[in-house]
Amino acid sequence: FDALHALQSLDPKYDRIQLLGIIQADPKYVQLLKSNRLVIGCRLCLTAESIHMFATNAWQELFAVLKAERKWLELFAVTFEHLLVAITTIPGDVPLMVDHLGAFAPRPTMRSYMSFLQVLKMRQGPYMLKGPGYRTSWNADEVSPFLAVAADHLDRGWILLSCTDAPYVRLADRDRPPSATWALEWVDRLQNSVGGTFGEQATNALIQCTSIKDNFS
Protein backbone atom coordinates (compact mmCIF):
# COMPACT_ATOMS: atom_id res chain seq x y z
CA PHE A 1 0.00 0.00 0.00
CA ASP A 2 2.86 2.41 0.77
CA ALA A 3 4.34 1.94 -2.71
CA LEU A 4 0.98 2.65 -4.33
CA HIS A 5 0.50 5.79 -2.24
CA ALA A 6 3.94 6.99 -3.30
CA LEU A 7 3.02 6.54 -6.97
CA GLN A 8 -0.26 8.36 -6.49
CA SER A 9 1.57 11.31 -4.96
CA LEU A 10 3.73 11.55 -8.09
CA ASP A 11 0.99 11.38 -10.71
CA PRO A 12 -2.82 11.61 -10.39
CA LYS A 13 -3.25 9.00 -13.15
CA TYR A 14 -2.43 6.33 -10.55
CA ASP A 15 -5.44 7.31 -8.43
CA ARG A 16 -7.64 4.92 -10.38
CA ILE A 17 -5.50 1.90 -9.43
CA GLN A 18 -6.79 -0.29 -6.63
CA LEU A 19 -5.00 -3.07 -4.82
CA LEU A 20 -7.40 -5.79 -3.71
CA GLY A 21 -5.99 -8.31 -1.30
CA ILE A 22 -6.61 -11.36 0.83
CA ILE A 23 -5.27 -11.43 4.39
CA GLN A 24 -4.67 -14.31 6.77
CA ALA A 25 -7.85 -15.82 8.20
CA ASP A 26 -7.54 -15.23 11.92
CA PRO A 27 -10.08 -13.81 14.39
CA LYS A 28 -7.52 -11.23 15.52
CA TYR A 29 -7.89 -9.53 12.10
CA VAL A 30 -11.65 -9.03 12.32
CA GLN A 31 -11.36 -5.25 12.62
CA LEU A 32 -9.12 -5.09 9.55
CA LEU A 33 -11.73 -6.99 7.58
CA LYS A 34 -14.32 -4.47 8.70
CA SER A 35 -12.32 -1.29 8.17
CA ASN A 36 -10.20 -1.80 5.03
CA ARG A 37 -12.19 -1.68 1.80
CA LEU A 38 -9.17 -2.97 -0.15
CA VAL A 39 -9.25 -6.26 1.75
CA ILE A 40 -11.71 -8.50 -0.07
CA GLY A 41 -11.37 -11.51 2.20
CA CYS A 42 -9.09 -13.82 4.14
CA ARG A 43 -7.29 -17.08 3.39
CA LEU A 44 -7.18 -20.17 5.55
CA CYS A 45 -4.86 -23.15 5.16
CA LEU A 46 -7.06 -25.98 6.37
CA THR A 47 -5.81 -28.36 9.03
CA ALA A 48 -7.60 -30.61 11.47
CA GLU A 49 -6.81 -28.08 14.21
CA SER A 50 -8.21 -25.09 12.31
CA ILE A 51 -11.44 -26.96 11.51
CA HIS A 52 -11.80 -27.86 15.18
CA MET A 53 -11.66 -24.14 16.04
CA PHE A 54 -14.63 -23.24 13.82
CA ALA A 55 -17.09 -23.80 16.68
CA THR A 56 -15.45 -21.21 18.95
CA ASN A 57 -17.02 -17.80 19.49
CA ALA A 58 -14.03 -16.04 17.92
CA TRP A 59 -14.33 -17.94 14.64
CA GLN A 60 -18.10 -17.59 14.59
CA GLU A 61 -17.60 -13.82 14.86
CA LEU A 62 -15.17 -13.95 11.94
CA PHE A 63 -17.71 -15.84 9.84
CA ALA A 64 -20.41 -13.31 10.74
CA VAL A 65 -18.17 -10.41 9.67
CA LEU A 66 -17.38 -12.08 6.33
CA LYS A 67 -21.09 -12.50 5.70
CA ALA A 68 -21.99 -8.94 6.74
CA GLU A 69 -19.14 -7.35 4.79
CA ARG A 70 -19.67 -9.67 1.80
CA LYS A 71 -16.04 -10.70 1.80
CA TRP A 72 -14.56 -14.04 0.83
CA LEU A 73 -13.19 -16.85 2.94
CA GLU A 74 -10.57 -18.49 0.74
CA LEU A 75 -9.92 -22.14 1.57
CA PHE A 76 -6.65 -23.88 0.77
CA ALA A 77 -6.71 -27.61 1.48
CA VAL A 78 -3.83 -30.03 1.07
CA THR A 79 -6.17 -32.96 1.72
CA PHE A 80 -9.53 -33.36 0.05
CA GLU A 81 -11.02 -34.71 3.27
CA HIS A 82 -10.26 -31.47 5.13
CA LEU A 83 -11.89 -29.48 2.34
CA LEU A 84 -15.12 -31.48 2.47
CA VAL A 85 -15.34 -31.23 6.26
CA ALA A 86 -14.72 -27.47 6.18
CA ILE A 87 -17.37 -26.77 3.55
CA THR A 88 -19.99 -28.66 5.55
CA THR A 89 -18.92 -27.03 8.84
CA ILE A 90 -18.57 -23.36 7.87
CA PRO A 91 -21.97 -21.59 7.96
CA GLY A 92 -23.66 -21.88 4.58
CA ASP A 93 -24.14 -18.14 4.09
CA VAL A 94 -20.42 -17.26 4.34
CA PRO A 95 -18.95 -16.41 0.88
CA LEU A 96 -16.47 -19.16 -0.03
CA MET A 97 -13.56 -19.13 -2.46
CA VAL A 98 -12.01 -22.60 -2.90
CA ASP A 99 -8.39 -22.48 -4.01
CA HIS A 100 -6.85 -24.59 -6.79
CA LEU A 101 -10.29 -25.57 -8.14
CA GLY A 102 -10.77 -27.80 -5.10
CA ALA A 103 -8.59 -30.42 -6.77
CA PHE A 104 -5.15 -29.82 -5.25
CA ALA A 105 -2.67 -32.62 -5.92
CA PRO A 106 -2.99 -35.48 -5.25
CA ARG A 107 -6.09 -35.24 -7.38
CA PRO A 108 -9.38 -36.57 -5.99
CA THR A 109 -11.35 -39.15 -7.92
CA MET A 110 -13.94 -37.69 -10.26
CA ARG A 111 -16.68 -39.28 -8.15
CA SER A 112 -15.36 -37.51 -5.03
CA TYR A 113 -15.04 -34.25 -6.94
CA MET A 114 -18.65 -34.45 -8.10
CA SER A 115 -19.73 -34.97 -4.49
CA PHE A 116 -17.72 -31.89 -3.51
CA LEU A 117 -19.46 -29.79 -6.18
CA GLN A 118 -22.88 -30.95 -5.00
CA VAL A 119 -22.06 -29.95 -1.41
CA LEU A 120 -20.79 -26.58 -2.64
CA LYS A 121 -24.00 -25.95 -4.60
CA MET A 122 -26.10 -26.50 -1.47
CA ARG A 123 -24.62 -23.42 0.22
CA GLN A 124 -26.84 -20.36 0.52
CA GLY A 125 -24.04 -17.82 0.12
CA PRO A 126 -21.89 -17.07 -2.95
CA TYR A 127 -19.09 -19.44 -3.85
CA MET A 128 -16.18 -19.44 -6.27
CA LEU A 129 -13.52 -21.84 -7.50
CA LYS A 130 -10.14 -20.18 -7.93
CA GLY A 131 -7.56 -21.56 -10.35
CA PRO A 132 -5.45 -21.53 -12.22
CA GLY A 133 -5.29 -25.33 -11.95
CA TYR A 134 -1.67 -26.25 -12.52
CA ARG A 135 -1.27 -27.16 -8.86
CA THR A 136 -3.52 -30.11 -9.75
CA SER A 137 -1.25 -31.04 -12.66
CA TRP A 138 0.93 -29.04 -15.03
CA ASN A 139 -0.65 -31.07 -17.85
CA ALA A 140 -3.74 -29.11 -18.85
CA ASP A 141 -5.36 -32.23 -20.36
CA GLU A 142 -5.36 -33.85 -16.91
CA VAL A 143 -7.04 -30.84 -15.31
CA SER A 144 -9.63 -30.14 -18.00
CA PRO A 145 -12.07 -32.90 -16.87
CA PHE A 146 -12.32 -31.24 -13.43
CA LEU A 147 -12.82 -27.81 -14.97
CA ALA A 148 -15.45 -29.05 -17.42
CA VAL A 149 -17.45 -30.76 -14.67
CA ALA A 150 -17.22 -27.67 -12.43
CA ALA A 151 -18.29 -25.31 -15.21
CA ASP A 152 -21.24 -27.54 -16.03
CA HIS A 153 -22.44 -27.88 -12.41
CA LEU A 154 -21.76 -24.53 -10.72
CA ASP A 155 -24.62 -22.62 -12.29
CA ARG A 156 -24.73 -20.12 -9.43
CA GLY A 157 -20.99 -19.85 -8.77
CA TRP A 158 -17.94 -18.50 -10.50
CA ILE A 159 -14.62 -19.89 -11.65
CA LEU A 160 -11.65 -17.54 -11.56
CA LEU A 161 -8.89 -18.90 -13.81
CA SER A 162 -6.73 -15.91 -14.77
CA CYS A 163 -4.71 -15.89 -11.58
CA THR A 164 -1.38 -17.33 -10.54
CA ASP A 165 0.97 -17.78 -7.60
CA ALA A 166 3.92 -17.74 -10.00
CA PRO A 167 6.80 -17.14 -9.86
CA TYR A 168 7.41 -17.93 -6.20
CA VAL A 169 5.71 -21.35 -6.01
CA ARG A 170 7.55 -24.38 -7.35
CA LEU A 171 5.47 -27.14 -8.89
CA ALA A 172 6.08 -30.57 -7.41
CA ASP A 173 6.87 -32.20 -10.77
CA ARG A 174 8.89 -29.39 -12.37
CA ASP A 175 12.47 -28.26 -11.78
CA ARG A 176 11.82 -24.52 -11.76
CA PRO A 177 8.98 -22.27 -10.58
CA PRO A 178 6.80 -21.15 -13.51
CA SER A 179 6.83 -17.56 -14.68
CA ALA A 180 3.63 -15.53 -14.54
CA THR A 181 3.60 -15.48 -18.37
CA TRP A 182 3.82 -19.28 -18.50
CA ALA A 183 1.00 -19.56 -15.95
CA LEU A 184 -1.40 -17.33 -17.88
CA GLU A 185 -0.56 -19.09 -21.17
CA TRP A 186 -1.26 -22.36 -19.35
CA VAL A 187 -4.74 -21.09 -18.47
CA ASP A 188 -5.38 -20.53 -22.20
CA ARG A 189 -4.26 -24.10 -22.93
CA LEU A 190 -6.59 -25.36 -20.21
CA GLN A 191 -9.61 -23.57 -21.62
CA ASN A 192 -8.75 -24.76 -25.13
CA SER A 193 -8.42 -28.30 -23.80
CA VAL A 194 -11.89 -28.12 -22.26
CA GLY A 195 -13.40 -27.00 -25.57
CA GLY A 196 -11.44 -29.50 -27.65
CA THR A 197 -12.17 -32.49 -25.41
CA PHE A 198 -15.67 -31.81 -24.14
CA GLY A 199 -17.14 -29.78 -26.99
CA GLU A 200 -19.02 -26.54 -27.44
CA GLN A 201 -21.52 -27.14 -24.63
CA ALA A 202 -18.75 -27.40 -22.04
CA THR A 203 -17.03 -24.33 -23.47
CA ASN A 204 -20.25 -22.29 -23.27
CA ALA A 205 -20.80 -23.45 -19.69
CA LEU A 206 -17.27 -22.38 -18.82
CA ILE A 207 -17.74 -18.94 -20.38
CA GLN A 208 -21.00 -18.48 -18.48
CA CYS A 209 -19.48 -19.71 -15.25
CA THR A 210 -16.41 -17.46 -15.51
CA SER A 211 -18.48 -14.27 -15.65
CA ILE A 212 -16.97 -12.84 -12.49
CA LYS A 213 -18.48 -9.83 -10.76
CA ASP A 214 -16.98 -6.55 -12.00
CA ASN A 215 -14.75 -6.02 -9.00
CA PHE A 216 -13.18 -9.48 -9.43
CA SER A 217 -12.66 -9.37 -13.20
Side-chain angles (χ1 to χ4, degrees):
F1 294 125
D2 292 341
L4 176 60
H5 293 158
L7 280 174
Q8 291 171 337
S9 67
L10 293 174
D11 195 320
K13 71 180 180 181
Y14 294 112
D15 288 343
R16 66 179 183 272
I17 297 176
Q18 278 194 332
L19 294 176
L20 302 179
I22 299 283
I23 63 174
Q24 179 184 354
D26 192 306
K28 66 184 178 183
Y29 297 130
V30 162
Q31 292 304 318
L32 182 58
L33 280 170
K34 289 181 178 180
S35 62
N36 195 324
R37 63 182 178 83
L38 301 181
V39 174
I40 63 169
C42 55
R43 186 174 191 261
L44 177 63
C45 183
L46 288 170
T47 63
E49 181 181 1
S50 62
I51 294 173
H52 179 71
M53 297 295 291
F54 287 168
T56 65
N57 290 336
W59 276 94
Q60 289 297 314
E61 181 186 3
L62 175 66
F63 295 149
V65 168
L66 289 169
K67 175 190 174 183
E69 299 292 327
R70 301 180 67 185
K71 295 186 175 183
W72 298 94
L73 176 60
E74 181 183 358
L75 299 179
F76 169 74
V78 176
T79 71
F80 198 64
E81 291 74 16
H82 284 160
L83 180 59
L84 286 176
V85 172
I87 290 177
T88 56
T89 306
I90 295 168
D93 49 9
V94 174
L96 279 190
M97 179 192 302
V98 181
D99 212 353
H100 302 300
L101 302 177
F104 187 82
R107 298 188 298 278
T109 65
M110 186 55 68
R111 183 175 180 178
S112 297
Y113 193 68
M114 292 279 289
S115 298
F116 152 72
L117 294 176
Q118 290 299 323
V119 172
L120 195 60
K121 284 181 64 173
M122 292 174 61
R123 298 184 60 82
Q124 296 84 37
Y127 51 80
M128 177 193 301
L129 295 183
K130 173 183 169 292
Y134 58 73
R135 298 289 289 276
T136 304
S137 171
W138 65 269
N139 185 341
D141 291 339
E142 294 182 359
V143 183
S144 59
F146 294 97
L147 180 60
V149 166
D152 190 43
H153 282 71
L154 297 185
D155 51 342
R156 192 173 53 83
W158 299 286
I159 300 175
L160 178 60
L161 285 179
S162 297
C163 52
T164 175
D165 46 16
Y168 67 90
V169 171
R170 182 184 302 273
L171 303 183
D173 49 359
R174 294 177 68 87
D175 294 334
R176 295 183 301 172
S179 67
T181 300
W182 177 91
L184 295 177
E185 290 174 349
W186 187 92
V187 167
D188 289 337
R189 292 199 298 274
L190 176 60
Q191 295 193 67
N192 291 335
S193 178
V194 170
T197 305
F198 298 95
E200 183 178 353
Q201 183 175 356
T203 304
N204 291 339
L206 178 60
I207 292 171
Q208 180 180 0
C209 199
T210 51
S211 298
I212 312 300
K213 285 184 176 179
D214 291 342
N215 56 332
F216 295 109
S217 60

